Amino acid sequence: MKVEANKVNALVVKPNLVVTVRDNEGNDNALVVAYAGNCSYDPPMIMMGIVPSRYSHHMIKENGSFVVHLLDESQTELYECCGSKSGRDSDKLKDYGVELTDGVKVNAGVITKCPVAIECTVVDSIMTGSHEMFIGKVEYVHAEKESLLEDGKIDLSKLNLM
Ligand SMILES: Cc1cc2nc3c(=O)[nH]c(=O)nc-3n(C[C@H](O)[C@H](O)[C@H](O)COP(=O)(O)O)c2cc1C
C-alpha cells in the first residue's frame, strides 16, 4: 500500500533526549529533541535537529555548543516541561529547579542528575527543510560510574533510561 512521502516516520526512532544550549548572555535553556543520532564514530559526532522557530535555535547559533542528555525514567516531568514550554516565555530550567553545572569543554549547561550527558561543539549544520541539523563534535562525555564497562564504554542496559 502506498504511503505519502510526508507520512514516513519509520526512521524517527525517537530517542528521549533533552538538549541544553546557552546564549551569549549566559542564559541557559533546554528542549526535547527527537531528530537526533550518531553520525560518525571516528571522530565521534552527533547530529540533532532544531526547528528554527524554537527559542533554542538562536542560542545554539550564537555560541555553537550544546549538550545532549539521556534521561532517567524518573525524569519524565523534566522531559515534558522541556518539550512543551518555551524559553521565550519563561526560564523553564529555573522554574523546574534543574541543577546545572558548566560544561567541562563547552559553553553550555550540564544537567547534573542525568545519567549520560554528551558535550558537543557545532562543526557544521544543514537546513534540511523543517529542521536545521547541527553536526556536533563530541568533546566530553559524562556518565554514571555504575554504567561503565571495563573498556570505558557505557553499558546502557545498566541505566534505567526513559
Ligand atoms: C517528543 C518530542 C520530540 C521533539 N523533537 C523535537 C526536535 O527534534 N526538534 C525540535 O526543534 N523540537 C522538537 N520538539 C519540540 C521542542 O522540544 C519544544 O517545542 C520546546 O518547547 C522548544 O523549546 P524552546 O522554544 O525553549 O527552544 C519535540 C517535542 C517533543 C515533545
Side-chain angles (χ1 to χ4, degrees), residues 14-16 21 29-36 48-57 59 79-88 90 92 131:
K14 273 197 159 197
N16 296 321
V21 290
N29 193 31
L31 81 165
V32 167
V33 169
Y35 278 46
M48 62 99 195
I50 299 187
V51 178
S53 59
R54 310 288 185 232
Y55 189 69
S56 302
H57 185 263
M59 302 176 82
Y79 183 78
E80 277 157 24
C81 163
C82 290
S84 60
K85 296 187 189 315
S86 176
R88 194 175 282 120
S90 64
K92 53 186 143 176
H131 289 60

Side-chain angles (χ1 to χ4, degrees), residues 58-78:
H58 82 278
M59 302 176 82
I60 190 170
K61 295 293 270 187
E62 271 178 32
N63 91 5
S65 299
F66 65 94
V67 184
V68 173
H69 301 79
L70 304 190
L71 271 64
D72 184 80
E73 61 186 5
S74 64
Q75 294 176 302
T76 48
E77 262 184 65
L78 170 65

Side-chain angles (χ1 to χ4, degrees), residues 81-131:
C81 163
C82 290
S84 60
K85 296 187 189 315
S86 176
R88 194 175 282 120
D89 306 319
S90 64
D91 183 343
K92 53 186 143 176
L93 291 170
K94 210 176 215 172
D95 294 349
Y96 190 73
V98 174
E99 193 180 296
L100 284 180
T101 55
D102 285 338
V104 175
K105 296 279 185 185
V106 308
N107 185 19
V110 177
I111 302 174
T112 54
K113 297 224 166 80
C114 287
V116 178
I118 305 167
E119 298 184 19
C120 298
T121 302
V122 175
V123 293
D124 210 343
S125 76
I126 176 174
M127 276 302 307
T128 49
S130 55
H131 289 60

